[in-house]
Amino acid sequence: MFFDRPDSGERALLVQISVRSENRQVDPSEFSELVAAAGAEPVGFVEGTRDRPQAKFFVGTGKLEEIKNTACDLEAELVIFDHELSPSQERNLEKELECRVLNRTGLILDIFAQRARTHEGKLQVELAQLEHLSTRLIRGWTHLERQKGGIGLRGPGETQLETDRRLLRDRIKSITKRLDKVRTQREQGRRARRRAQLPVVSLVGYTNAGKSTLFNQLADAKVFAKDQLFATLDPTMRRIEIDGYGPLVLADTVGFISQLPHQLVEAFRATLEEAAQADLLLEVVDISAEDWRAQCDEVELVLEEIGADEIPKIRVFNKIDVLEDRSSGLDSSEDESEQTVWLSAKSGDGLDFLKVAIAKSLGTDRIQAWYRLPANHSRLISRLHAQSAIQEEKYGEDGSCELLISINRPDWQRILGSEGLSEESLAPLP
């Protein structure tokens, strides 16, 4: 866009180096899935180990020669590193390998750009891409930098670079302002749900853990769900009914991944706040994955970064249909503060256990019962309607009303008190 770079095609050589000083566990299968999700065709894989990254090329000269020869033999048009590369490292590698070089952040940003569907999602991805590009812009005009100098010697290279920087800053400022508006709108929606006493249950977890499939099962929805990384980018919310509790709002969110680029966390903060503002989190875990524990650790890191680590949580072990010796079930600690559900979102086996766990977590201090109110309690009925606390109602010939009420006990006591009533004076029906 801002500088001449080698053309890139879809034939990609993958490079994954285990760096001991980074203390990061590399996963070749996840890296290959990421590349496939971006639409590239992996034609080769180069692995290696280093104590620490080399400043100029990230890899040593011997490994660089191996990458160059392999890319040439396999006719690779693109070399993708499963690491963060500095702008100068990217530039040096492209010059040496004579083909396009992409790092992990650029790869994930490309996937997000392909998958975003809503206007908000596209804005968030563009903001992340521009933030990433702004750190690499200076590479674009190296062929003109020699013209820079003192008074009277400043050439078009410096002028063009400053122009591009200004255009980038203006575009970033414009997108940030529009996303702030989105955040304000979301906060208004959250306030409306709080007024209606509707708790929010948010699905979180590693990418491709099965969140959207579980969302479709619980909400009877048709959200796009596919066995691929980052199938869901745009959040979806549905009002659902849970037996033993009542109505709530279920939210599906973007999946997390190891080394999730910071630009994406910042850009998607308006979306991730749905998780940070939730009343309950359902952490969906792909129990069939060999590294599911490491994936859980990555999810915890992102939840901590967005301020959602203190929210009550139910851990949902998904994909038990892939395991041979595991059936659906619900495990709870003695005080029921920690609950774990085993289920298969694909088949629906175990959903009843999850609904029980949700009702237990949210309904510890909630009223859900039938009441008979005489005709002179119309103002109380109106207040309950305003709180969206009435699930069903039946009117008798004498003007009395039977109501199925679902409401938090403190709100129920407050409404009764404002009408000069108490829980003892208004007993539920048998």
Side-chain angles (χ1 to χ4, degrees), residues 283-313:
E283 183 188 347
V284 184
V285 180
D286 179 2
I287 194 60
S288 66
E290 293 183 3
D291 60 339
W292 66 266
R293 290 182 178 82
Q295 293 182 2
C296 289
D297 292 339
E298 294 293 341
V299 171
E300 292 296 332
L301 288 175
V302 178
L303 290 177
E304 185 177 349
E305 187 170 354
I306 64 175
D309 51 323
E310 298 295 328
I311 298 174
K313 181 173 60 180

Side-chain angles (χ1 to χ4, degrees), residues 236-255:
T236 308
M237 308 187 80
R238 293 286 190 278
R239 175 177 168 145
I240 66 172
E241 297 275 340
I242 294 292
D243 295 338
Y245 179 78
L248 56 85
V249 174
L250 184 68
D252 189 17
T253 60
V254 62

Side-chain angles (χ1 to χ4, degrees), residues 43-87:
V43 295
F45 205 103
V46 175
E47 297 178 283
T49 303
R50 284 190 64 85
D51 289 331
R52 59 184 58 84
Q54 197 249 28
K56 187 174 182 180
F57 296 112
F58 187 87
V59 296
T61 52
K63 183 61 66 175
L64 178 64
E65 192 66 26
E66 178 187 346
I67 295 171
K68 185 175 183 179
N69 293 335
T70 306
C72 183
D73 294 341
L74 299 175
E75 298 181 352
E77 304 155 305
L78 176 65
V79 176
I80 305 177
F81 280 72
D82 187 28
H83 310 276
E84 286 302 301
L85 300 175
S86 68

Side-chain angles (χ1 to χ4, degrees), residues 51 69 80 121 123 128 244-245 307-308 315 321 387 421:
D51 289 331
N69 293 335
I80 305 177
L123 282 177
Y245 179 78
R315 181 161 284 178
D321 51 298
Q387 292 286 329
L421 301 170

Side-chain angles (χ1 to χ4, degrees), residues 5-293:
R5 300 179 67 177
D7 294 333
S8 75
E10 296 184 350
R11 294 175 58 83
L13 174 64
L14 281 54
V15 179
Q16 190 173 55
I17 308 297
S18 177
V19 181
R20 297 188 185 95
S21 61
E22 291 182 353
N23 194 27
R24 173 203 164 202
Q25 186 177 0
V26 296
D27 185 350
S29 60
E30 181 184 274
F31 182 33
S32 299
E33 287 180 38
L34 269 177
V35 174
E41 177 192 351
V43 295
F45 205 103
V46 175
E47 297 178 283
T49 303
R50 284 190 64 85
D51 289 331
R52 59 184 58 84
Q54 197 249 28
K56 187 174 182 180
F57 296 112
F58 187 87
V59 296
T61 52
K63 183 61 66 175
L64 178 64
E65 192 66 26
E66 178 187 346
I67 295 171
K68 185 175 183 179
N69 293 335
T70 306
C72 183
D73 294 341
L74 299 175
E75 298 181 352
E77 304 155 305
L78 176 65
V79 176
I80 305 177
F81 280 72
D82 187 28
H83 310 276
E84 286 302 301
L85 300 175
S86 68
S88 61
Q89 286 172 338
E90 271 190 34
R91 174 189 176 184
N92 295 333
L93 285 167
E94 286 186 350
K95 184 177 180 181
E96 193 71 25
L97 300 176
E98 298 179 346
C99 68
R100 183 80 182 274
V101 173
L102 195 65
N103 68 358
R104 183 181 177 88
T105 296
L107 177 64
I108 295 176
L109 287 174
D110 185 81
I111 297 172
F112 273 53
Q114 294 180 49
R115 301 281 166 79
R117 292 291 178 268
T118 65
H119 178 64
E120 176 194 349
K122 291 175 181 178
L123 282 177
Q124 291 173 138
V125 172
E126 184 181 356
L127 177 60
Q129 287 179 316
L130 291 176
E131 294 281 5
H132 180 66
L133 180 63
S134 64
T135 64
R136 283 152 169 75
L137 184 61
I138 196 168
R139 299 194 305 151
W141 304 99
T142 52
H143 62 294
L144 296 175
E145 281 178 350
R146 296 186 193 91
Q147 300 178 34
K148 294 192 297 184
I151 296 174
L153 296 177
R154 293 185 177 89
E158 187 175 28
T159 304
Q160 182 64 64
L161 183 58
E162 287 303 319
T163 300
D164 289 331
R165 280 176 172 162
R166 177 176 52 78
L167 291 174
L168 267 180
R169 285 195 301 268
D170 291 346
R171 182 60 180 164
I172 288 173
K173 191 181 298 182
S174 171
I175 294 175
T176 302
K177 188 180 297 183
R178 290 158 77 178
L179 286 176
D180 285 342
K181 186 177 180 181
V182 170
R183 186 174 300 178
T184 302
Q185 292 170 342
R186 286 192 179 278
E187 181 56 37
Q188 290 172 346
R190 281 192 286 268
R191 283 199 297 268
R193 290 193 292 272
R194 283 195 290 268
R195 285 195 300 270
Q197 296 299 313
L198 284 178
V200 176
V201 177
S202 186
L203 293 163
V204 297
Y206 210 75
T207 180
N208 204 28
K211 295 183 295 301
S212 295
T213 304
L214 181 58
F215 180 89
N216 288 337
Q217 287 278 14
L218 289 171
D220 192 22
K222 295 182 180 178
V223 170
F224 178 70
K226 192 174 181 180
D227 185 17
Q228 64 181 21
L229 302 184
F230 298 117
T232 301
L233 285 190
D234 304 308
T236 308
M237 308 187 80
R238 293 286 190 278
R239 175 177 168 145
I240 66 172
E241 297 275 340
I242 294 292
D243 295 338
Y245 179 78
L248 56 85
V249 174
L250 184 68
D252 189 17
T253 60
V254 62
F256 306 149
I257 197 169
S258 62
Q259 290 190 305
L260 187 66
H262 184 72
Q263 297 100 320
L264 281 176
V265 176
E266 282 299 314
F268 276 74
R269 189 166 292 278
T271 299
L272 293 173
E273 278 179 356
E274 294 296 350
Q277 300 290 333
D279 298 279
L280 177 66
L281 299 179
L282 303 182
E283 183 188 347
V284 184
V285 180
D286 179 2
I287 194 60
S288 66
E290 293 183 3
D291 60 339
W292 66 266
R293 290 182 178 82

